[in-house]
Amino acid sequence: MVGTCIRGRAMFEQISSPFIAATKQFAEAGFKAQGIALEGFEKVFGAQINTFENRLNATLDFWSQAAEVRNLDGVKAIMPKSMALAKETAETVFATTQEVVTITVKTGEALNAIAKTQIDASNDVFVKPVVAARKAK
């Protein structure tokens, strides 16, 4: 009876140890992935807020100048500034969009690397022992 109990405990530990190790590894990878995702989110949010702030200041500056226009000559003088503001805004938004896409791609690549590492680790823990046991038969 004691021998059976010891053998049963050894089998249990032999079976549960890989699962416990894999669970710990998956939890650590999940924590790391969450950190990478949050860092990417912070970068994207920061880039968009900076662009918004920059464009808001430029637009408010333009409208403060436009509010001082009192005649047709003033409208003619401010028209090139309005076109320049529209052009700058479009260019800045386009550049920010490119930056956001770049950040998103890099974040996705980092998350993909973590996932690939986890798949490889799972294969090492679960699949390779099974393949080795089949070959041993």
Side-chain angles (χ1 to χ4, degrees), residues 46-123:
Q48 290 176 335
I49 289 294
N50 287 339
T51 299
F52 178 74
E53 183 180 11
N54 179 320
R55 293 296 83 208
L56 180 63
N57 289 337
T59 302
L60 290 175
D61 184 47
F62 169 77
W63 282 109
S64 68
Q65 292 175 7
E68 296 174 3
V69 172
R70 300 287 179 230
N71 56 26
L72 193 55
D73 291 332
V75 172
K76 288 180 184 177
I78 202 153
M79 196 56 82
K81 291 180 182 180
S82 69
M83 297 305 288
L85 175 66
K87 180 183 175 197
E88 288 174 12
T89 300
E91 289 172 350
T92 304
V93 168
F94 182 74
T96 302
T97 302
Q98 286 181 323
E99 182 181 354
V100 165
V101 168
T102 301
I103 292 168
T104 304
V105 167
K106 287 180 180 179
T107 301
E109 288 171 350
L111 293 173
N112 186 32
I114 290 173
K116 184 177 181 334
T117 302
Q118 291 306 304
I119 290 170
D120 292 343
S122 295
N123 284 339

Side-chain angles (χ1 to χ4, degrees), residues 28-51:
E28 289 172 356
F31 186 71
K32 186 175 181 182
Q34 180 185 15
I36 289 171
L38 287 175
E39 182 181 334
F41 176 75
E42 286 176 5
K43 288 179 182 177
V44 166
F45 190 71
Q48 290 176 335
I49 289 294
N50 287 339
T51 299

